[in-house]
Amino acid sequence: MAATMVGSTSASSSCSTRFAAPKKSAGISSKFRVFSTSRIKACADNSPISEADANLKITKADVRGKESQALRKPLTIADLSGPEEGSLLRVAYQGVQGAYSEAAAAKAYPNCEAVPCELFETAFVAVERFLVDRAVLPIENSLGGSIHRNYDLLLQHNLHIVGEVYLQVRHCLLANHGVEINALRRVLSHPQALAQCEHTLTKLGVVRESVDDTAGAAQYVSANKLLDTGAVASSRAAEIYNLNILHHDIQDDPDNFTRFLMLAREPIIPRADRPFKTSIVFSLEEGPGMLFKALAVFSMRDINLTKIESRPLRKKPLRVSGDIISGAQKYFDYLFYVDFEASMASLSAQNALRHLKEIATFLRVLGSYPKDISQR
């Protein structure tokens, strides 16, 4: 079973968000939604958007003059109120402007309108409620592994995977203009980003503090005009929040890629004239060799598996079984997420799933979609 990561260059964000990046740090609104940690407090306004705000169109610019242009706040569940007008394809992503997910949305759907969301779940719901047309969300990273929350949300919601995109993650060390690298005492970023830059940060001797988002860290440093604090984020975040890039490509491993899934309300029609991938989820009865039998339905038809992920079944996490000799035994019931290289338009894939259905207690096709075959 071979699983390969396909490389791609980090695309600059061509998605329109109808908010201009601030030219000066003085032009940044003090009303930022800050991703808090135990040591980082809110700026001037960290409260959720009110019910009155929820009636606003999600792409309406909050522009009150050149000196008071504000960056769009991420959508919250309370904001999911109604559809948006306009002809641009609207694509939801998790995070704030400058996040790597925004770059992935731009690569997946050039010239789209990117809509930031506060939570992964908010992006799912935004698609379901027709506020946006698509969502682009991370599912796995070549260094950090799987994003388990999004595996769970795929099962909880009725969206379909319609594509995938790989994005190379290139971390930069950012600080306010005029701050020298040897003046830094602490650095903020997402925990995975900090871990991926451990060698560089250790050499600098700085204190590392975790926040919920790389771009959120850059936003916080800029908004508070911190002179002893830097952020690990993208070059796009430096541009948006008017920060200086002290060091490019500070990640320990250059082969750092994140795979994103493209989600929609309706599935696409599978085709056989180009490489396709299919994602499924299933569960099995407990017993010797059950997983082997399930995976054999693909092997006997020469279908290559690119990923398998197991997650405990939440509604029925434990199974108790046993006999007089061994006594009661407890087992986890699992869901198995599998990606394989075949289109549902092919007879071999259809027969494989027909065979698997005879073995599985539950089976669902999450999507059959074109593979990302782009190069770096």
Side-chain angles (χ1 to χ4, degrees):
M1 180 170 69
T4 57
M5 299 296 290
V6 181
S8 64
T9 55
S10 178
S12 62
S13 177
S14 60
C15 291
S16 167
T17 54
R18 302 185 188 175
F19 284 87
K23 300 279 176 84
K24 304 176 183 177
S25 54
I28 300 177
S29 168
S30 63
K31 294 186 177 182
F32 283 102
R33 182 173 303 284
V34 178
F35 293 89
S36 61
T37 65
S38 59
R39 297 187 59 187
I40 298 178
K41 304 300 182 184
C43 294
D45 183 3
N46 192 33
S47 59
I49 296 177
S50 66
E51 290 185 8
D53 296 330
N55 294 321
L56 296 175
K57 298 294 186 181
I58 59 175
T59 57
K60 186 175 181 180
D62 182 21
V63 179
R64 299 180 178 87
K66 185 176 179 180
E67 293 301 317
S68 63
Q69 289 182 345
L71 296 171
R72 173 187 294 170
K73 290 183 179 180
L75 281 179
T76 66
I77 292 293
D79 299 319
L80 303 180
S81 56
E84 164 66 12
E85 299 173 358
S87 58
L88 285 177
L89 190 72
R90 290 157 291 146
V91 180
Y93 69 92
Q94 187 274 329
V96 298
Q97 288 178 262
Y100 291 107
S101 292
E102 183 189 36
K107 183 180 179 184
Y109 297 104
N111 302 315
C112 70
E113 181 179 4
V115 180
C117 295
E118 187 176 52
L119 304 170
F120 289 131
E121 186 172 10
T122 311
F124 274 85
V125 177
V127 179
E128 290 177 330
R129 296 190 183 180
F130 289 80
L131 270 78
V132 297
D133 305 293
R134 302 283 191 276
V136 174
L137 298 173
I139 197 67
E140 60 179 325
N141 175 263
S142 58
L143 302 181
S146 299
I147 292 88
H148 295 128
R149 177 59 179 157
N150 284 338
Y151 274 105
D152 295 337
L153 289 171
L154 280 172
L155 193 62
Q156 294 170 20
H157 295 267
N158 292 316
L159 300 184
H160 302 269
I161 304 173
V162 296
E164 65 175 0
V165 62
Y166 287 88
L167 183 77
Q168 186 174 18
V169 177
R170 302 180 66 177
H171 294 305
C172 300
L173 181 60
L174 314 180
N176 282 297
H177 291 278
V179 176
E180 299 292 335
I181 194 168
N182 56 10
L184 295 180
R185 296 293 176 264
R186 61 175 183 157
V187 170
L188 314 179
S189 196
H190 187 275
Q192 280 198 9
L194 294 174
Q196 292 165 6
C197 304
E198 182 176 1
H199 182 67
T200 300
L201 298 179
T202 299
K203 285 200 304 182
L204 290 176
V206 293
V207 175
R208 284 159 270 189
E209 295 188 13
S210 299
V211 294
D212 291 341
D213 185 76
T214 55
Q219 184 186 59
Y220 181 84
V221 170
S222 176
N224 290 274
K225 300 180 176 60
L226 301 177
L227 301 180
D228 64 346
T229 304
V232 174
S234 66
S235 58
R236 165 75 173 159
E239 176 186 344
I240 292 174
Y241 302 112
N242 193 29
L243 295 175
N244 183 37
I245 300 178
L246 298 176
H247 206 309
H248 289 269
D249 295 326
I250 64 170
Q251 63 275 1
D252 297 340
D253 190 335
D255 293 324
N256 184 1
F257 292 87
T258 298
R259 177 185 173 223
F260 292 81
L261 298 180
M262 300 144 68
L263 304 174
R265 289 180 293 274
E266 300 295 334
I268 61 172
I269 299 174
R271 295 164 53 179
D273 60 347
R274 61 171 296 180
F276 257 65
K277 186 182 287 186
T278 299
S279 296
I280 63 172
V281 57
F282 62 90
S283 59
L284 300 167
E285 288 287 353
E286 177 64 33
M290 290 302 295
L291 182 57
F292 170 79
K293 293 175 184 177
L295 300 183
V297 307
F298 302 102
S299 177
M300 66 176 59
R301 294 173 177 87
D302 294 323
I303 297 176
N304 184 46
L305 305 185
T306 58
K307 183 173 178 63
I308 180 168
E309 179 83 17
S310 62
R311 297 286 293 152
L313 187 59
R314 290 193 171 189
K315 291 185 178 180
K316 190 181 176 184
L318 280 178
R319 178 196 300 270
V320 179
S321 64
D323 51 43
I324 298 175
I325 299 175
S326 60
Q329 301 290 328
K330 292 184 178 180
Y331 304 92
F332 278 114
D333 268 339
Y334 283 97
L335 289 168
F336 298 96
Y337 293 82
V338 169
D339 296 340
F340 60 88
E341 291 180 324
S343 168
M344 284 306 298
S346 70
L347 189 60
S348 60
Q350 294 173 21
N351 288 336
L353 293 195
R354 208 172 280 122
H355 191 172
L356 179 59
K357 194 173 181 180
E358 297 174 0
I359 305 169
T361 56
F362 165 78
L363 172 62
R364 176 177 160 189
V365 177
L366 299 171
S368 189
Y369 49 91
K371 289 176 56 180
D372 181 2
I373 56 175
S374 60
Q375 300 298 316
R376 293 188 187 183

